[in-house]
């Protein structure tokens, strides 16, 4: 099976702009979660989507949003970018079973100038 | 108090030795526990999951869970230089949901 794919792998934006990141989960996986990783805060949960519905949300401002499509692909959007949004954004894929194992994609490295 | 705590290291062990990585968590209702390995510049890779008290072995890796003490550990036997990485402990507080809380990671260095 192919793994989780994320595009683009690298992005450079300026403050105030918005950005959209994409994630394709492992085939058959219906749950997609997003995480932010920074040197200072570590890995933090952003939100989870399952069957096109946001099921859980972390403690991030409303500038961070996401959605999931019927084919389980997911996008996350960050509006009005701030310097502190520079991070590695990771998408994790999981199947519908109860054991919650999540498999990460390679990530998108976002740099905000 | 952090929700998931790990010693940041570095933990240095000689090649062939046993590396012991520890993690404590604060929420007694936590349901599932994971160890991820992350090489520098790469994304986390799932290496072990554990859900009930006791030990779970997979190859050179053994995860140990003690819910009464709110403690999870990972043992790596016959450590190899290729095991040098940051090991992240992650906890899921919700049954059926996928919202992991991560520790800050322990950096492991295996000396040849």
């Amino acid at each position: 099976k192919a793994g989780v794919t994320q595009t683009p792998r690298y992005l450079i934006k300026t403050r105030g702009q918005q950005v959209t990141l994409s994630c394709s989960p492992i085939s058959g996986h219906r749950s997609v979660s997003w995480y932010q990783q920074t040197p200072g805060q570590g890995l933090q949960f952003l939100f989870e989507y399952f069957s096109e519905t946001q099921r859980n949300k972390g403690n991030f401002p409303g500038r961070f949003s996401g959605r999931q499509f019927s084919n389980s692909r997911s996008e996350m959007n960050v509006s009005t970018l701030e310097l502190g949004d520079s991070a590695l954004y990771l998408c994790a894929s999981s199947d519908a079973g109860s054991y919650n194992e999540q498999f990460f994609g390679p990530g998108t490295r976002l740099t905000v100038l | 108090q952090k929700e998931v705590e790990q010693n940041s290291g570095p933990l240095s062990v000689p090649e062939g030795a046993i590396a012991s990585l520890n993690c404590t968590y604060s929420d007694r209702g936590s349901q599932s526990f994971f160890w991820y390995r992350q090489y520098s510049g790469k994304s986390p890779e799932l290496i072990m999951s554990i859900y009930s008290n006791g030990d779970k072995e997979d190859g050179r890796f053994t995860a140990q869970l003690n819910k009464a003490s709110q403690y999870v550990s990972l043992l790596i036997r016959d450590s190899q230089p290729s095991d040098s990485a940051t090991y992240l402990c992650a906890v899921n507080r919700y049954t059926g949901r996928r919202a992991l809380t991560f520790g800050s990671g322990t950096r492991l260095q295996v000396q040849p």
Side-chain angles (χ1 to χ4, degrees), chain A residues 32-37 41-49 54-60 90 102, chain B residues 94 97-102:
Chain A
V32 173
S33 299
W34 289 89
Y35 294 82
Q36 181 196 64
Q37 187 173 31
Q41 299 298 317
L43 256 167
Q44 293 185 287
F45 171 75
L46 280 156
F47 28 67
E48 181 210 355
Y49 285 87
Q54 187 181 90
R55 188 157 67 170
N56 212 0
K57 190 176 191 305
N59 189 25
F60 278 82
L90 292 157
Q102 294 183 51
Chain B
Y94 307 107
R97 296 194 175 187
R98 277 80 172 155
L100 294 177
T101 301
F102 282 85

Side-chain angles (χ1 to χ4, degrees), chain A residues 48-79:
Chain A
E48 181 210 355
Y49 285 87
F50 182 83
S51 292
E52 302 179 64
T53 300
Q54 187 181 90
R55 188 157 67 170
N56 212 0
K57 190 176 191 305
N59 189 25
F60 278 82
R63 299 185 297 107
F64 292 82
S65 62
R67 59 177 175 168
Q68 187 180 32
F69 302 94
S70 59
N71 62 357
S72 295
R73 190 177 70 84
S74 177
E75 290 180 346
M76 69 163 281
N77 184 277
V78 187
S79 62

Side-chain angles (χ1 to χ4, degrees), chain A residues 31 33 35 37 43-45 48 55-56 88 90 94-107 109, chain B residues 31-32 34 36 38 41-46 48-49 51 56 88 92 94-100 102-103:
Chain A
S31 169
S33 299
Y35 294 82
Q37 187 173 31
L43 256 167
Q44 293 185 287
F45 171 75
E48 181 210 355
R55 188 157 67 170
N56 212 0
L88 180 66
L90 292 157
S94 179
D95 68 18
S98 63
Y99 289 107
N100 305 335
E101 289 188 338
Q102 294 183 51
F103 302 91
F104 283 91
R109 171 76 61 186
Chain B
Q31 300 289 326
S32 47
F34 306 90
Y36 285 86
Q38 186 172 27
K42 301 293 186 182
S43 62
E45 174 192 7
L46 178 66
M48 288 291 287
S49 57
Y51 309 99
K56 179 183 177 183
L88 298 160
N92 192 331
Y94 307 107
T95 301
R97 296 194 175 187
R98 277 80 172 155
L100 294 177
F102 282 85

Side-chain angles (χ1 to χ4, degrees), chain B residues 15-94:
Chain B
E15 184 175 355
I18 295 176
S20 177
L21 304 158
N22 304 315
C23 170
T24 59
Y25 60 95
S26 61
D27 187 342
R28 282 195 173 276
S30 296
Q31 300 289 326
S32 47
F33 307 85
F34 306 90
W35 284 98
Y36 285 86
R37 177 175 63 197
Q38 186 172 27
Y39 293 111
S40 180
K42 301 293 186 182
S43 62
E45 174 192 7
L46 178 66
I47 53 172
M48 288 291 287
S49 57
I50 187 165
Y51 309 99
S52 53
N53 282 329
D55 294 359
K56 179 183 177 183
E57 186 174 319
D58 184 359
R60 296 187 296 113
F61 299 99
T62 299
Q64 299 173 318
L65 174 61
N66 184 327
K67 287 187 176 181
S69 301
Q70 295 173 243
Y71 178 89
V72 188
S73 66
L74 178 70
L75 300 178
I76 307 174
R77 289 181 298 281
D78 189 23
S79 295
Q80 301 297 309
S82 58
D83 295 326
S84 298
T86 296
Y87 288 80
L88 298 160
C89 173
V91 174
N92 192 331
R93 297 162 64 187
Y94 307 107

